[in-house]
Amino acid sequence: MVGLVREGEITAMTKLQQLVDRLEKEHDLTDEEFVSILESGDPDGNAYLTERAAAVREKIYDRDVYIRGLIEYTDHCRNDCRYCGIRRGNKNAERYRLSREQILECCDRGYELGFRTFVLQGGEDPYYTDEDMACIIRAVKERHPDCALTLSVGEREKDTYIKWYEAGADRYLLRHETADREHYESLHPAEMSYGHRIQCLRDLKEIGYQVGCGMMVGSPGQTMGHLVKDLRLIQKLQPEMVGLGPFIPHRDTEYAGCSTGSVELTLKLLSVIRLMLPQVLLPATTALGTADAKGREKGLKAGANVLMPNLSPTDVRGKYLLYDDKICTGEEAAECVRCLSLRVEKAGYRIVVSRGDHPAYTALAMSDF
Ligand code: SAH
């Protein structure tokens, strides 16, 4: 009897191992195979997935961790995404905006701390005109020509994206949120469309940005089938970065009573994506660190290679609240970096002072500079 059970276990383990090996070699599986990896509760098989993803990450990025300084410059938003704490309809959100000077100060401070990439993230805030944003982009790049600038400011039209690219923006993060149209519609108000979100991602790629897409794990109504669609979209788009973190409810949204997305599933997805696109930049997100006190370290060990600490001024940090209980809202940027460096070292990795471009862009960036 014991012998039989053991045999069964070995077979299950071997099957999962074989799938992981094939994913590493061929960078692809069938939909059903992806689901069986994501659904597997076999601890040995799961440990093997983590191990292979970490090995691939190490082959390409060694034990280096790239850091991006996140500047949350506005929490005003014209959109009303159902899951988001800074949605237009949330009357309890304390709204703020940073001036160009404040943004530049954040960058200067970040530069001293070793950041060579800045990410401007915010709600879709029409207060900043296209030209205002172009001015900010030019000013940041003038002050710090050796740094990369990433925008994460939502959906715009192609000519705006072109203007900002020409002003010096290098990268753009726009999570697709979910690759299933119906699911997308259930998470967003009627005036937003899946088609436009995807069009934006296509435009950004075509213009020449290094692009990041991504999704929340465990968002209300999400199924395994949706996650497989996400993987297929990622394969098709071939983004330079994929941002994913667990969905975390916000008290002032209709999803207040929903549960937080699974950390385990988020980690598995990080590993699967690492094996699918070996060179991709994968952040261990703040949401992952919020859902689990060791989430970011676990993320690094599962194949992630990027961290995005907060550089926003301390007095506004507690206001940019996309979800409840967000971590690192009280600390100074320097404190944040110190704490994170220690955590990273303890996990066996090291933060590097680098723009941290996707390998396909590194040569290009060097020749530009
Ligand atoms: N306005 C920009 C930036 C959005 S905030 C844009 O549209 O791209 C960045 C990301 O936070 C979002 O893309 C979303 O995936 C994530 N997010 C928003 N609300 C969240 C929640 N409740 N839990 C987890 N992640 C959330």
Side-chain angles (χ1 to χ4, degrees):
M1 192 60 189
V2 171
L4 267 183
V5 170
R6 212 169 266 158
E7 203 171 286
E9 277 171 4
I10 290 167
T11 316
M13 164 68 179
T14 313
K15 207 177 148 220
L16 204 63
Q17 223 175 35
Q18 278 171 351
L19 286 183
V20 171
D21 286 341
R22 229 177 66 232
L23 180 58
E24 181 178 349
K25 216 166 112 208
E26 296 169 11
H27 314 298
D28 199 12
L29 293 173
T30 66
D31 290 0
E32 294 71 29
E33 289 167 338
F34 274 129
V35 171
S36 67
I37 288 192
L38 295 178
E39 279 184 341
S40 162
D42 168 25
D44 293 336
N46 291 343
Y48 186 69
L49 171 67
T50 312
E51 187 189 309
R52 290 320 306 156
V56 168
R57 172 225 196 279
E58 205 168 325
K59 206 164 19 174
I60 292 164
Y61 292 107
D62 202 351
R63 297 222 145 215
D64 292 353
V65 174
Y66 296 146
I67 49 170
R68 291 27 176 137
L70 189 64
I71 303 166
E72 298 156 336
Y73 73 99
T74 174
D75 72 343
H76 289 258
C77 193
R78 64 179 174 186
N79 288 334
D80 221 11
C81 307
R82 298 206 159 103
Y83 46 82
C84 184
I86 65 167
R87 58 189 298 215
R88 176 183 77 217
N90 183 9
K91 298 284 175 281
N92 295 329
E94 273 186 74
R95 307 289 175 176
Y96 72 91
R97 291 185 174 108
L98 298 185
S99 66
R100 188 169 70 135
E101 287 62 39
Q102 284 175 304
I103 294 171
L104 291 173
E105 273 166 30
C106 292
C107 295
D108 292 349
R109 186 91 195 85
Y111 194 88
E112 283 167 25
L113 292 169
F115 288 90
R116 295 295 178 268
T117 290
F118 303 114
V119 183
L120 290 183
Q121 189 179 86
E124 291 189 16
D125 183 359
Y127 171 86
Y128 301 85
T129 63
D130 288 0
E131 189 44 37
D132 290 339
M133 289 306 292
C135 268
I136 293 170
I137 295 162
R138 278 193 291 268
V140 172
K141 293 293 284 198
E142 228 164 77
R143 288 259 273 259
H144 302 291
D146 54 335
C147 293
L149 184 58
T150 305
L151 300 177
S152 176
V153 301
E155 296 177 38
R156 297 292 197 281
E157 293 313 310
K158 191 173 182 184
D159 54 348
T160 302
Y161 288 149
I162 293 175
K163 200 178 214 174
W164 294 344
Y165 187 74
E166 286 173 350
D170 304 276
R171 309 182 185 142
Y172 207 104
L173 303 181
L174 184 75
R175 290 189 179 179
H176 62 279
E177 312 297 1
T178 169
D180 181 89
R181 189 182 296 271
E182 259 176 54
H183 186 221
Y184 187 92
E185 284 169 5
S186 79
L187 295 172
H188 297 94
E191 67 268 19
M192 290 180 76
S193 86
Y194 177 70
H196 191 255
R197 194 113 187 139
I198 299 300
Q199 188 55 47
C200 285
L201 282 165
R202 289 213 185 95
D203 289 344
L204 290 162
K205 263 246 140 175
E206 205 181 288
I207 294 165
Y209 283 95
Q210 294 184 52
V211 171
C213 67
M215 66 278 189
M216 290 174 286
V217 180
S219 57
Q222 185 179 62
T223 64
M224 280 293 161
H226 295 156
L227 287 172
V228 171
K229 279 190 164 181
D230 289 322
L231 295 177
R232 295 285 172 225
L233 179 81
I234 291 166
Q235 268 178 332
K236 210 161 127 193
L237 190 72
Q238 296 275 318
E240 281 68 38
M241 182 184 261
V242 179
L244 55 107
F247 160 78
I248 303 172
H250 186 288
R251 61 174 69 88
D252 296 320
T253 64
E254 67 196 86
Y255 300 135
C258 295
S259 38
T260 293
S262 155
V263 167
E264 202 179 298
L265 184 56
T266 306
L267 295 170
K268 273 194 191 174
L269 280 159
L270 284 172
S271 299
V272 165
I273 294 169
R274 170 62 65 213
L275 296 178
M276 230 171 66
L277 300 180
Q279 296 193 318
V280 79
L281 295 157
L282 272 184
T285 56
T286 306
L288 188 55
T290 299
D292 180 325
K294 284 270 152 66
R296 286 170 300 176
E297 289 91 326
K298 289 179 186 171
L300 292 177
K301 291 179 181 172
N305 69 322
V306 176
L307 289 170
M308 300 172 70
N310 203 314
L311 284 182
S312 310
T314 323
D315 60 321
V316 304
R317 282 197 192 193
K319 299 180 183 165
Y320 194 84
L321 298 177
L322 309 178
Y323 45 79
D324 288 339
D325 304 320
K326 182 180 171 202
I327 53 168
C328 310
T329 50
E331 294 160 9
E332 280 282 329
E335 259 176 80
C336 243
V337 171
R338 211 172 305 126
C339 156
L340 216 52
S341 302
L342 286 174
R343 284 166 173 263
V344 167
E345 266 169 47
K346 233 174 133 188
Y349 296 89
R350 59 177 170 256
I351 289 179
V352 293
V353 177
S354 161
R355 279 174 52 121
D357 285 284
H358 184 280
Y361 281 78
T362 306
L364 214 66
M366 301 272 280
S367 66
D368 274 359
F369 185 49

